[in-house]
Amino acid sequence: MAALDAGALRAALGDTYGAVDVVDSTGSTNADLVAVAGSATDRTVLIAEQQTAGRGRRARDWVSPPASGLYLSVLLRPTGVPVSRYGSLSLVAGVALIRTARHAGVLASLKWPNDLLAGAAMAKCAGVLAEATPDAVVVGIGLNVGALPGEVPVGPGGLPATSFAQEGGTGDRTEVAIALLRAFDEAERSWRGAQGDLVTSGLLSEYRGSCATLGHRVRVELPDGSSLQGLATDVDGEGRLVVDVGGTARTLSAGDVVHVRPGT
């Protein structure tokens, strides 16, 4: 697959971002931006053709084969947004991914909080990792664009992997990178302008409309190693998942969600 066209990216994005850099290979774009969080410009973008130590949520490995996906991170300094609302940026990124999938011609949905699912098999084609530092917040996105190699492992919850190209969408990574960064710019500006309020920005309504988790029976594996099962009924104004567990509403800010099929 063709290499990303950094010049076309910068020309298309104009002054939307403070800096846009493309590197051939790095360990992790998130780790690189976290390391320079004290000095980097607001809205600095780093894209890698390949990651050798990509990370997902809960320190899991993210498989980053060369020249088939988009592996990018954006460093943000959201002045005026309370730090307590930084966590909702993961949902903002989820909205941007849905808009990007639509642009690419792929029918997709979200599994709370921010996994992008596509195809009849509801396979995963993107994930998000947001990391706050004392100086900034870094949002990392891994998105499968071109055809995947056969050895990509099944993800948490038994989710198979897929890509835009495999779901009948465009496999042009430069085009998709431009669409994704434009969509993230628009969503993040709305979020920042509303001081991080998902409701006021209109992003919560859009997120709910694309969230396949709502209305599903789910098993949620919690960070402390425990789990619970129930009916996912809502995503609240803080971006937390509300689950009805035997008639009691449980509000969850973190956890791995598995959509439970009938009879399992």
Side-chain angles (χ1 to χ4, degrees), residues 8 23 25 50 53 106 115 124 130 137 144 148 168 171-172 181 202 215 231 257:
V23 297
S25 180
Q50 178 183 16
V106 174
D115 286 343
K124 180 174 176 176
V137 58
N144 300 328
L148 297 173
D172 185 321
L181 287 168
L231 179 69
V257 169

Side-chain angles (χ1 to χ4, degrees), residues 57-58 60 110-115 117 124 155-159 207 211-214 216-222 228 230-232 235 240-243 252-260:
R57 290 185 301 115
R58 298 176 72 174
R60 294 190 180 96
L110 293 165
K111 180 170 73 69
W112 183 87
N114 47 47
D115 286 343
L117 308 181
K124 180 174 176 176
L159 285 176
Y207 179 91
C211 185
T213 300
L214 296 180
H216 263 279
R217 290 200 62 79
V218 296
R219 182 176 75 253
V220 186
E221 298 167 358
L222 302 173
L228 59 81
L231 179 69
V235 175
R240 299 174 299 186
L241 183 67
V242 181
V243 179
L252 309 174
S253 59
D256 284 327
V257 169
V258 178
H259 292 176
V260 178

